[in-house]
Structures are given as C-alpha cells and as structure tokens.
Amino acid sequence: MSALTREGAPSQPALSNLASAALDGGDGPLWVPSALVSALPASVGAALARHEGLVLLPDEESVTAAVLKWCPNERLRKAVFHRMHSVATGANLGTLAELLDARLDLARELGFASHTQMALAYGRVAGSEGEVTSFLSLVEDSTRDKLDAELLEMAAAKRSGRLGFGGGSSALGGWDVPFLTGALKASRWQVDSREISQYLELESALAGLS
C-alpha cells in the first residue's frame, strides 16, 4: 500500500513508500499520515482536510512552504518538493513559449531588439543589459563564500542527525534547505520562529493595525 496516494482518501499507508509514490506522475490529491505534519504551525494544520488519520496536502504555495520549513521527515519534504517542481510542467511549456514569443513580438513592434531592452528603456534603474549582468555578477561574487559556508554548515548538521531528522539520506537536497535554515537559527538563537510567525499572519497583522 502506498504511503502517498492521489485517488480519494486511502486507508493508513506504509511510510516506506512515501517518496516513490510522490514521483509517480499523478496529479490528484496527496494524502499523508497525520503524524508527518504534526510539526506544522497550528494555523496551517487546522486548515487541512483530514480523514481516518490522514491529511490532505493541497498544491498551494503556503502549504508547500510550511511543509518544507517545519516537517522533519525527509521523505515527506522530498515528495512535496518534487511535486512542487513538476505539477503541470509539461502542460505549461507550450503556454510559456507562447508568452515569450508574444512579448518578443511586442518589443520588436516598438523598435527594440529584445524584451529586455524594452523593459530597461522604461524607467528601470539599470540602463543596459550589460549593467544588469555586471550587477548580478557583483552580487554573486560578494555572497558566494557566505553561501558556500552556510551550505557546508547545513550538510554537516544533517549528517550529525542532531536537528530532528526523521530518516533519509546524508546528502543535502533542495528540500532540506528551508528546514535546516529554520532549525539552525532556532538552535543558535534559541528562538522558535513558529512563536513569532503567529503574530505575522495576515489576520494578526491587520488586527494590530486597527
């Protein structure tokens, strides 16, 4: 029995099949054992549909981001990460190509060689494509060492197993970065950002302004 299914609400699944089932190419609903999402902030968890010990994870950015940041089980995070980067990808490629062609046609009709030149001509800070490239190179050069150091720290923390990982590999994956970033900050500064984030939700922020 698969731990992650896309057809209706299944019976209690086997966790060992979670990651592989997430990559089966289906596009229906994702049901996971409720224990795997128990670390989610209450405001997120309370909004999820539940059935016989399972929780439905919708394809919504807010839910995906919360799972990647808060859930310690690597199989779950990896499953959600791959699903986030694969939903309707094939169907969207044709539309994206049409949009690129349309904005290039518009730029040429207005006398520009590319959409980038047109965008830069209308009140942008940079005056040319070369300036944009130079700025991006400057940013990369000034942050690369810091980024590499942080990635090494994350990889070491994952290998040590001291941050509550629930199984998985020792290699650092893209699905690990949000979780490890939060976990390392919490460990270093003794601050649980879930306690802070509850005051930064839209409803709380609006209430504070009233």
Short mmCIF file of all heavy atoms in Angstrom, two decimals, residues 143-159 170-174 176-178 180-181 184:
data_model
loop_
_atom_site.label_atom_id
_atom_site.label_comp_id
_atom_site.label_asym_id
_atom_site.label_seq_id
_atom_site.Cartn_x
_atom_site.Cartn_y
_atom_site.Cartn_z
N THR A 143 28.58 37.25 -2.34
CA THR A 143 27.82 36.36 -1.45
C THR A 143 28.21 34.90 -1.57
O THR A 143 27.78 34.08 -0.75
CB THR A 143 26.31 36.48 -1.73
OG1 THR A 143 26.05 36.15 -3.12
CG2 THR A 143 25.81 37.90 -1.45
N ARG A 144 29.00 34.55 -2.56
CA ARG A 144 29.30 33.14 -2.83
C ARG A 144 29.97 32.46 -1.65
O ARG A 144 29.59 31.36 -1.26
CB ARG A 144 30.18 33.03 -4.09
CG ARG A 144 30.72 31.64 -4.38
CD ARG A 144 29.63 30.59 -4.48
NE ARG A 144 28.66 30.91 -5.53
CZ ARG A 144 27.56 30.18 -5.75
NH1 ARG A 144 27.31 29.13 -4.98
NH2 ARG A 144 26.73 30.52 -6.72
N ASP A 145 30.97 33.09 -1.06
CA ASP A 145 31.68 32.46 0.06
C ASP A 145 30.74 32.21 1.24
O ASP A 145 30.79 31.16 1.88
CB ASP A 145 32.86 33.32 0.51
CG ASP A 145 33.99 33.34 -0.52
OD1 ASP A 145 33.98 32.47 -1.41
OD2 ASP A 145 34.86 34.23 -0.42
N LYS A 146 29.89 33.19 1.53
CA LYS A 146 28.93 33.05 2.62
C LYS A 146 27.94 31.93 2.33
O LYS A 146 27.62 31.11 3.21
CB LYS A 146 28.19 34.37 2.82
CG LYS A 146 27.10 34.35 3.88
CD LYS A 146 27.64 34.13 5.27
CE LYS A 146 26.55 34.28 6.31
NZ LYS A 146 27.03 33.97 7.68
N LEU A 147 27.47 31.86 1.10
CA LEU A 147 26.53 30.82 0.71
C LEU A 147 27.16 29.44 0.84
O LEU A 147 26.56 28.51 1.39
CB LEU A 147 26.05 31.05 -0.72
CG LEU A 147 25.16 29.95 -1.33
CD1 LEU A 147 23.89 29.77 -0.52
CD2 LEU A 147 24.84 30.27 -2.79
N ASP A 148 28.38 29.31 0.32
CA ASP A 148 29.07 28.01 0.40
C ASP A 148 29.27 27.58 1.84
O ASP A 148 29.10 26.41 2.19
CB ASP A 148 30.42 28.09 -0.32
CG ASP A 148 30.28 28.20 -1.83
OD1 ASP A 148 29.19 27.89 -2.34
OD2 ASP A 148 31.25 28.59 -2.50
N ALA A 149 29.61 28.55 2.71
CA ALA A 149 29.81 28.23 4.13
C ALA A 149 28.51 27.77 4.78
O ALA A 149 28.50 26.83 5.58
CB ALA A 149 30.37 29.45 4.86
N GLU A 150 27.41 28.42 4.43
CA GLU A 150 26.12 28.04 5.01
C GLU A 150 25.68 26.66 4.53
O GLU A 150 25.12 25.87 5.30
CB GLU A 150 25.07 29.09 4.66
CG GLU A 150 25.29 30.42 5.39
CD GLU A 150 24.22 31.44 5.05
OE1 GLU A 150 23.42 31.18 4.12
OE2 GLU A 150 24.19 32.50 5.70
N LEU A 151 25.93 26.36 3.25
CA LEU A 151 25.58 25.04 2.73
C LEU A 151 26.40 23.95 3.40
O LEU A 151 25.89 22.86 3.71
CB LEU A 151 25.78 25.01 1.21
CG LEU A 151 24.79 25.86 0.39
CD1 LEU A 151 25.18 25.83 -1.08
CD2 LEU A 151 23.36 25.34 0.57
N LEU A 152 27.67 24.22 3.63
CA LEU A 152 28.52 23.26 4.33
C LEU A 152 28.02 23.04 5.76
O LEU A 152 28.02 21.91 6.27
CB LEU A 152 29.97 23.74 4.35
CG LEU A 152 30.72 23.65 3.01
CD1 LEU A 152 32.10 24.31 3.13
CD2 LEU A 152 30.86 22.20 2.55
N GLU A 153 27.59 24.11 6.41
CA GLU A 153 27.06 24.00 7.77
C GLU A 153 25.78 23.17 7.79
O GLU A 153 25.58 22.34 8.68
CB GLU A 153 26.80 25.39 8.35
CG GLU A 153 26.30 25.36 9.79
CD GLU A 153 26.02 26.75 10.35
OE1 GLU A 153 26.01 27.72 9.55
OE2 GLU A 153 25.80 26.86 11.56
N MET A 154 24.91 23.39 6.81
CA MET A 154 23.67 22.61 6.72
C MET A 154 23.97 21.14 6.49
O MET A 154 23.36 20.26 7.11
CB MET A 154 22.79 23.15 5.59
CG MET A 154 22.18 24.51 5.84
SD MET A 154 21.10 24.99 4.47
CE MET A 154 20.96 26.74 4.78
N ALA A 155 24.91 20.87 5.57
CA ALA A 155 25.25 19.48 5.27
C ALA A 155 25.81 18.78 6.51
O ALA A 155 25.47 17.63 6.79
CB ALA A 155 26.26 19.43 4.12
N ALA A 156 26.65 19.48 7.26
CA ALA A 156 27.23 18.90 8.47
C ALA A 156 26.15 18.65 9.53
O ALA A 156 26.16 17.62 10.21
CB ALA A 156 28.31 19.83 9.03
N ALA A 157 25.22 19.59 9.65
CA ALA A 157 24.14 19.43 10.62
C ALA A 157 23.25 18.25 10.25
O ALA A 157 22.81 17.49 11.13
CB ALA A 157 23.31 20.71 10.69
N LYS A 158 23.01 18.07 8.96
CA LYS A 158 22.18 16.94 8.54
C LYS A 158 22.88 15.62 8.82
O LYS A 158 22.27 14.67 9.31
CB LYS A 158 21.84 17.07 7.05
CG LYS A 158 20.92 15.94 6.57
CD LYS A 158 20.54 16.09 5.12
CE LYS A 158 19.59 14.95 4.73
NZ LYS A 158 19.20 15.01 3.31
N ARG A 159 24.16 15.55 8.51
CA ARG A 159 24.90 14.31 8.76
C ARG A 159 24.96 13.97 10.25
O ARG A 159 24.95 12.80 10.62
CB ARG A 159 26.32 14.42 8.19
CG ARG A 159 26.40 14.40 6.68
CD ARG A 159 27.84 14.18 6.22
NE ARG A 159 28.72 15.24 6.70
CZ ARG A 159 28.96 16.36 6.03
NH1 ARG A 159 28.37 16.57 4.86
NH2 ARG A 159 29.79 17.28 6.52
N SER A 170 22.12 11.23 3.85
CA SER A 170 23.05 12.18 4.45
C SER A 170 23.39 13.32 3.51
O SER A 170 23.96 14.33 3.93
CB SER A 170 24.34 11.46 4.86
OG SER A 170 24.96 10.87 3.72
N ALA A 171 23.05 13.18 2.23
CA ALA A 171 23.33 14.23 1.25
C ALA A 171 22.33 15.38 1.38
O ALA A 171 21.15 15.16 1.66
CB ALA A 171 23.29 13.65 -0.17
N LEU A 172 22.80 16.59 1.17
CA LEU A 172 21.95 17.77 1.27
C LEU A 172 21.15 17.94 -0.02
O LEU A 172 21.71 17.97 -1.11
CB LEU A 172 22.81 19.01 1.52
CG LEU A 172 22.06 20.32 1.78
CD1 LEU A 172 21.31 20.24 3.10
CD2 LEU A 172 23.04 21.49 1.80
N GLY A 173 19.83 18.06 0.11
CA GLY A 173 18.96 18.25 -1.05
C GLY A 173 18.25 19.58 -0.97
O GLY A 173 18.22 20.24 0.08
N GLY A 174 17.67 20.00 -2.08
CA GLY A 174 16.94 21.27 -2.10
C GLY A 174 15.80 21.30 -1.10
O GLY A 174 15.44 22.36 -0.58
N ASP A 176 15.89 20.12 1.80
CA ASP A 176 16.43 20.24 3.15
C ASP A 176 16.67 21.68 3.57
O ASP A 176 16.69 22.00 4.76
CB ASP A 176 17.76 19.49 3.27
CG ASP A 176 17.61 17.99 3.10
OD1 ASP A 176 16.62 17.44 3.61
OD2 ASP A 176 18.48 17.39 2.44
N VAL A 177 16.91 22.57 2.60
CA VAL A 177 17.39 23.92 2.90
C VAL A 177 16.41 24.71 3.77
O VAL A 177 16.82 25.30 4.79
CB VAL A 177 17.73 24.68 1.61
CG1 VAL A 177 18.07 26.14 1.92
CG2 VAL A 177 18.91 24.00 0.90
N PRO A 178 15.11 24.78 3.45
CA PRO A 178 14.21 25.56 4.32
C PRO A 178 14.16 25.02 5.74
O PRO A 178 14.20 25.80 6.71
CB PRO A 178 12.85 25.43 3.62
CG PRO A 178 13.17 25.13 2.20
CD PRO A 178 14.40 24.28 2.25
N LEU A 180 16.43 23.12 7.39
CA LEU A 180 17.70 23.30 8.08
C LEU A 180 17.97 24.77 8.41
O LEU A 180 18.55 25.08 9.46
CB LEU A 180 18.84 22.74 7.25
CG LEU A 180 19.00 21.22 7.32
CD1 LEU A 180 19.97 20.73 6.24
CD2 LEU A 180 19.48 20.79 8.68
N THR A 181 17.58 25.67 7.53
CA THR A 181 17.75 27.09 7.81
C THR A 181 17.03 27.48 9.09
O THR A 181 17.59 28.13 9.99
CB THR A 181 17.24 27.94 6.64
OG1 THR A 181 17.99 27.64 5.46
CG2 THR A 181 17.38 29.42 6.94
N LEU A 184 18.59 25.55 12.26
CA LEU A 184 19.87 26.09 12.70
C LEU A 184 19.69 27.45 13.39
O LEU A 184 20.34 27.74 14.39
CB LEU A 184 20.82 26.22 11.52
CG LEU A 184 21.42 24.90 11.01
CD1 LEU A 184 22.14 25.11 9.69
CD2 LEU A 184 22.37 24.31 12.05
#
